[in-house]
Amino acid sequence: YRLSIDSPENCAELILESVSRNRSYPMPSNQLYAVVLKLIELIYLIWDEIYGELFNLCNIQERTTESKRLEGNYVFVASAAITAASFFVGASHSDQLTSDLSVTTSIPIEDILDFSSVIIEQVLATTADE
């Protein structure tokens, strides 16, 4: 099959559908998806802050090239957003979901966790400022 993945939102939907077919998670999927969409929106609204934190965490020097490559990696962005959303919606099962995401997407679990932790920190910092 050839699927057109033209946005991180579409990618997140496909990934969630894929991991949900293999395992049932005791968290409401429609609520999880709604939070994922909001997080993806936030990621791109405050991309520079998230990007800076992630690259500081990973100690990467080539920021200009890597930023565009990472920003366009919808699978990575969607996976991190799904993991972060699962933390907010059903934290007790986010570890299993993250593991399944890693298997499904072939992205190392540590990378997904690093990116999602930066997202969670930014969400908490944003809500603390309000």
Side-chain angles (χ1 to χ4, degrees):
Y1 296 98
R2 188 175 181 122
L3 300 173
S4 173
I5 301 175
D6 58 354
S7 72
E9 294 86 357
N10 289 350
C11 189
E13 185 176 358
L14 288 170
I15 292 170
L16 279 172
E17 185 67 32
S18 176
V19 296
S20 296
R21 288 193 183 273
N22 295 329
R23 183 185 310 273
S24 176
Y25 301 98
M27 59 181 94
S29 59
N30 58 344
Q31 186 180 9
L32 179 66
Y33 184 63
V35 173
V36 167
L37 293 180
K38 292 294 182 188
L39 289 177
I40 289 172
E41 187 176 310
L42 179 69
I43 289 167
Y44 285 103
L45 285 174
I46 60 171
W47 178 254
D48 290 336
E49 291 89 347
I50 288 178
Y51 157 76
E53 285 295 317
L54 182 61
F55 278 67
N56 286 337
L57 180 69
C58 297
N59 223 1
I60 296 176
Q61 303 302 317
E62 290 295 321
R63 292 183 176 214
T64 309
T65 311
E66 291 299 321
S67 174
K68 289 299 176 194
R69 187 176 308 154
L70 179 60
E71 190 174 6
N73 188 338
Y74 297 153
V75 174
F76 188 39
V77 171
S79 297
I82 292 167
T83 296
S86 72
F87 173 80
F88 292 114
V89 174
S92 62
H93 300 284
S94 64
D95 288 345
Q96 183 60 54
L97 180 58
T98 305
S99 176
D100 292 345
L101 286 169
S102 178
V103 169
T104 301
T105 63
S106 299
I107 298 171
I109 195 166
E110 297 81 14
D111 293 349
I112 296 172
L113 289 172
D114 285 344
F115 195 1
S116 66
S117 68
V118 169
I119 296 167
I120 292 167
E121 288 172 11
Q122 288 295 323
V123 167
L124 295 177
T126 302
T127 57
D129 291 341
E130 294 177 356

